[in-house]
Amino acid sequence: MSGFPAESLSPSITQKLILTGCQLPWEDMTIVDSLPNLEVLKLRNDAFQGSTWATNEGEFCRLKFLSLDHMMLEHWMSESRHFPSLERLVIRWCFFLVEIPRDFG
């Protein structure tokens, strides 16, 4: 794993996570989506690097708020059912993002 501070996370109590400028590969997102009580996720300033983020069903089951801010993401391969509890999606300054997944529209 590329330097992700996993030891600083307590999976059973982490409800809010803000990652800024970490430049982690999107593959490390599996650590984040394994947090069972995560409700708020804010990704800022290239928290993850790479052009494609692919999500799967069963991830982010309790996530209510997702923010993508200043990310270099180009392709977000996802469906709304991958985020069954999502209430709010904020995307700012993601100039390279080709499109928002259709289900989220």
Side-chain angles (χ1 to χ4, degrees):
M1 186 167 41
S2 7
F4 190 85
E7 66 278 353
S8 65
L9 298 176
S10 177
S12 61
I13 61 170
T14 302
Q15 292 181 318
K16 181 177 182 179
L17 183 62
I18 300 169
L19 296 174
T20 302
C22 302
Q23 297 185 347
L24 301 168
W26 284 107
E27 294 80 27
D28 284 355
M29 182 58 84
T30 58
I31 297 165
V32 176
D33 68 43
S34 69
L35 297 169
N37 294 312
L38 188 65
E39 294 182 1
V40 175
L41 177 59
K42 297 180 181 182
L43 303 177
R44 299 178 178 159
N45 300 321
D46 297 325
F48 286 86
Q49 66 180 9
S51 62
T52 303
W53 177 23
T55 62
N56 297 299
E57 193 167 1
E59 300 174 345
F60 304 106
C61 293
R62 298 186 67 185
L63 195 68
K64 294 179 181 179
F65 181 89
L66 174 62
S67 174
L68 304 173
D69 192 348
H70 283 90
M71 299 291 290
M72 300 293 282
L73 182 63
E74 293 177 34
H75 305 282
W76 183 16
M77 313 302 285
S78 188
E79 298 178 23
S80 60
R81 65 188 171 125
H82 298 176
F83 299 85
S85 301
L86 193 65
E87 297 173 1
R88 187 160 184 216
L89 172 63
V90 176
I91 299 175
R92 291 186 292 205
W93 304 103
C94 296
F95 296 114
F96 299 100
L97 187 59
V98 175
E99 67 180 348
I100 297 169
R102 295 177 193 204
D103 290 26
F104 291 90

